[in-house]
Amino acid sequence: QVQLVESGGGLVQTGGSLRLSCAASGSFFSINTMGWFRQAPGNQRDLVATITSGGVTNYADSVKGRFTISRDNAKNTVYLQMNSLKPEDTAVYYCNADYTLLTPFRRRQSWGQGTQVTVSP
């Protein structure tokens, strides 16, 4: 089982920056893809960015060129650097991890508790 703890959310003005962190802990064989999703009030949870264990990244079109996802495999931590923030980026941001367990072999997913990001006009 993997537990994810997020940090780094807050209130920022339009054009500002924030950096989110998500640390994974627990018992697992490996952590595969990690990512960030966000959910605004009344909306579904949408993908923001993902990164594989090998460093391959994927971004939602709405954040390309403004957000950067990275990870430190030694620390089992994923980061989201958010620049040029806009009011429409306001949402609860959730960390997600796809991981592998052994005996028996199986893959699972975990979610963090979420961190609020608010961008004021």
Side-chain angles (χ1 to χ4, degrees):
Q1 190 78 351
V2 167
Q3 294 78 45
L4 302 174
V5 178
E6 300 130 334
S7 60
L11 173 65
V12 65
Q13 292 184 331
T14 296
S17 298
L18 284 174
R19 188 190 194 210
L20 305 183
S21 299
C22 172
S25 62
S27 298
F28 50 87
F29 174 70
S30 65
I31 296 181
N32 310 310
T33 299
M34 300 185 79
W36 292 94
F37 291 72
R38 66 187 181 186
Q39 187 169 19
N43 290 357
Q44 64 183 18
R45 189 173 297 186
D46 293 325
L47 179 146
V48 176
T50 61
I51 184 168
T52 68
S53 57
V56 178
T57 59
N58 179 53
Y59 295 93
D61 288 342
S62 59
V63 306
K64 284 181 181 177
R66 300 188 297 123
F67 291 10
T68 302
I69 189 170
S70 61
R71 66 190 281 176
D72 184 333
N73 290 331
K75 296 182 179 179
N76 294 317
T77 299
V78 64
Y79 307 96
L80 186 68
Q81 178 66 44
M82 305 185 292
N83 298 329
S84 302
L85 283 160
K86 305 175 182 180
E88 51 263 44
D89 294 317
T90 295
V92 178
Y93 283 69
Y94 295 91
C95 178
N96 174 271
D98 173 90
Y99 61 98
T100 300
L101 301 172
L102 295 181
T103 59
F105 177 89
R106 58 202 185 278
R107 292 181 71 159
R108 293 288 186 269
Q109 286 199 34
S110 277
W111 291 92
Q113 79 283 359
T115 185
Q116 178 70 46
V117 171
T118 302
V119 184
S120 62

